[in-house]
Amino acid sequence: MTWSRKNLADVETLAPAASVYLTPERLELQATARRFAMEEVLPVADELDPQRGEIPDELLARLAELDYFGIMIDREHGGLGLGVLEYALICEELARGWMSVASIIARGNGTGCAGRPDLLARSARGEWIGGIAFSEPSAGSDLANVGCSAERDGDEWVISGTKRWVGHAKRADFLHLLARTREPREGHGRSDGLELFLVEKARGSFPDGVSGTPIDKIGYYGLTTWELTLDGLRVPVDALQDTGQDEGQGFKESLRWLGPARVQTAARAVGLARGAVEDAIAYVKQRVQFGHPIGDQQVIRHALADLASEAEAARQLYLHAAWLVDSGVAADVETSQAKLVASETAERVTSQALQIFGGNGYTTEYSAERYWRDARLTTIFEGTSEIQRKIVSDALLAD
């Protein structure tokens, strides 16, 4: 049998239908992203993911042409001026093609601009793409445990320490870095004294004082992930981002992105689940056993019904959470619920979709294994499932 995804660009089976959240304008935006993902992103993923290749510059340029690096940047600075809901819709479609392509635009969209109009414009054009250097070997879920230090030396800061899980670090234009400028003050939390720094750099190299080692992952190809060693990295005084808060409060600014990041991760997870199920739908129509397509078997049809329904339920959670964030409502619980349910659903759905492929699913000849590998990560990054459960349960049991 020759495997074919014929007409998948027009598959509506798991595509969002019009709803209270999805206006005609949003549906048009989503449909454009779907066509791009299926016609331009997916073929690149099919070619490069088995090679552990990186997103090509040509594809980054296409993302910039479509204004996907400026979805949430205001029109005054060249962006689309849209919200988290539109951002998530586009990311779902991009992840359906290749999750790393949905992830790279999170390193634009105003990240690392520190309120600077010139950087916002560059970010919107896809010319200012960064690496997020927050986590460390001993500071993942417990981000307040960051030990990377920044010491003032005249007109410079000198930064030393280790950063881990920095995606796109070498190809980035900057590093958005969390470091400690002093020990916490008495009576303050452990995060007191943590600040955000903007480390500008040239694409394709590390600045003096920074060296990197790629982390060998089991998936999430397209973006190389690095562990960075900072040994006396010198940056100018104004590299310290002005958050408008008391000195030593940059950590709180870093948390501002968590809500949108969790919604985006939920959307990426749904995109992966869709990819697996839509591929399974095409496969069961072509795979013949016992003289009939396996899609004629009730057990397969019921499995597909369950998987499609689970993916849709996860989508509705992230759409609601995105709408709340865009409405300015405090939505920590809802964004955590969306991220938790969508990521856990994606892992389960992609695994079961792979099962439908049988032995073929356990080969690299089909994309089912890619969706499965990448979905596993969504339960870990942007806050593990355990962290999301803690957030939700703390809210449920609050006095």
Side-chain angles (χ1 to χ4, degrees):
M1 181 188 73
T2 301
W3 167 239
S4 172
R5 286 196 185 95
K6 184 180 179 182
N7 296 329
L8 269 185
D10 298 322
V11 165
E12 298 293 340
T13 308
L14 296 181
S19 73
V20 66
Y21 303 117
L22 299 181
T23 62
E25 293 78 12
R26 285 169 177 162
L27 285 171
E28 182 179 356
L29 190 74
Q30 175 259 336
T32 299
R34 178 186 302 129
R35 287 192 295 271
F36 171 67
M38 298 305 298
E39 295 171 5
E40 300 186 50
V41 176
L42 186 60
V44 173
D46 288 342
E47 176 187 356
L48 293 184
D49 195 86
Q51 305 172 24
R52 302 191 176 193
E54 291 197 287
I55 302 169
D57 288 339
E58 296 79 10
L59 193 51
L60 293 178
R62 284 289 292 131
L63 290 167
E65 288 175 17
L66 290 164
D67 295 321
Y68 288 165
F69 286 109
I71 298 168
M72 296 192 294
I73 294 175
D74 57 73
R75 292 182 179 275
E76 178 185 355
H77 295 101
L80 295 178
L82 300 174
V84 174
L85 201 155
E86 290 87 356
Y87 176 54
L89 276 177
I90 290 171
C91 286
E92 178 188 331
E93 297 303 329
L94 296 182
R96 194 269 178 258
W98 202 10
M99 187 170 74
S100 56
V101 174
S103 300
I104 191 66
I105 64 173
R107 287 149 180 81
N109 275 291
T111 301
C113 292
R116 287 174 48 181
D118 59 325
L119 294 186
L120 281 171
R122 289 180 61 192
S123 182
R125 294 193 300 267
E127 298 171 358
W128 185 246
I129 306 172
I132 310 303
F134 288 1
S135 297
E136 298 181 1
S138 298
S141 296
D142 183 14
L143 200 56
N145 198 42
V146 159
C148 185
S149 66
E151 297 183 3
R152 183 72 178 265
D153 183 17
D155 292 333
E156 294 180 314
W157 289 95
V158 182
I159 305 176
S160 297
T162 302
K163 290 295 178 182
R164 189 165 171 83
W165 309 118
V166 188
H168 197 64
K170 193 169 187 178
R171 296 177 72 190
D173 300 297
F174 66 92
L175 299 176
H176 203 213
L177 187 144
L178 187 65
R180 181 170 293 284
T181 59
R182 56 168 170 74
E183 291 301 310
R185 293 169 293 180
E186 185 176 353
H188 290 69
R190 291 184 302 122
S191 65
D192 185 53
L194 292 177
E195 292 283 19
L196 288 170
F197 290 85
L198 187 61
V199 182
E200 300 189 43
K201 58 179 286 298
R203 285 192 182 185
S205 64
F206 292 123
D208 291 341
V210 178
S211 59
T213 303
I215 297 173
D216 190 14
K217 304 169 296 187
I218 64 172
Y220 195 35
Y221 304 134
L223 280 174
T224 299
T225 305
W226 296 82
E227 178 164 304
L228 303 180
T229 300
L230 293 80
D231 185 9
L233 167 68
R234 289 184 172 270
V235 297
V237 168
D238 62 5
L240 175 63
Q241 295 193 348
D242 181 8
T243 64
Q245 304 181 58
D246 292 338
E247 185 267 333
Q249 299 298 301
F251 176 80
K252 293 181 180 178
E253 177 68 12
S254 69
L255 298 181
R256 185 172 65 86
W257 292 95
L258 282 181
R262 287 170 182 155
V263 172
Q264 192 228 10
T265 299
R268 286 181 289 177
V270 171
L272 294 168
R274 274 187 50 207
V277 178
E278 289 174 3
D279 275 14
I281 291 170
Y283 181 80
V284 302
K285 293 178 180 179
Q286 300 173 43
R287 175 67 169 170
V288 175
Q289 291 286 275
F290 307 107
H292 295 275
I294 64 173
D296 289 348
Q297 299 176 19
Q298 187 180 65
V299 66
I300 297 295
R301 300 171 79 91
H302 286 186
L304 289 172
D306 287 343
L307 300 182
S309 299
E310 290 182 45
E312 181 58 34
R315 174 188 287 121
Q316 293 304 316
L317 267 180
Y318 94 63
L319 288 174
H320 180 63
W323 177 78
L324 289 175
V325 173
D326 286 336
S327 300
V329 176
D332 288 348
V333 171
E334 289 82 0
T335 58
S336 288
Q337 287 173 327
K339 198 273 183 185
L340 170 64
V341 171
S343 61
E344 294 287 334
T345 294
E347 183 183 6
R348 182 172 57 255
V349 166
T350 55
S351 177
Q352 290 303 306
L354 187 151
Q355 185 74 18
I356 290 172
F357 282 78
N360 286 328
Y362 203 67
T363 72
T364 56
E365 298 170 7
Y366 298 82
S367 299
E369 57 84 29
R370 177 170 81 237
Y371 295 119
W372 179 46
R373 285 185 286 108
D374 287 354
R376 185 65 182 86
L377 179 59
T378 66
T379 69
I380 299 172
F381 67 0
E382 304 297 356
T384 63
S385 291
E386 290 73 22
I387 289 295
Q388 307 313 320
R389 290 185 177 106
K390 182 181 187 309
I391 292 169
V392 174
S393 61
D394 284 353
L396 293 174
L397 298 174
D399 293 334

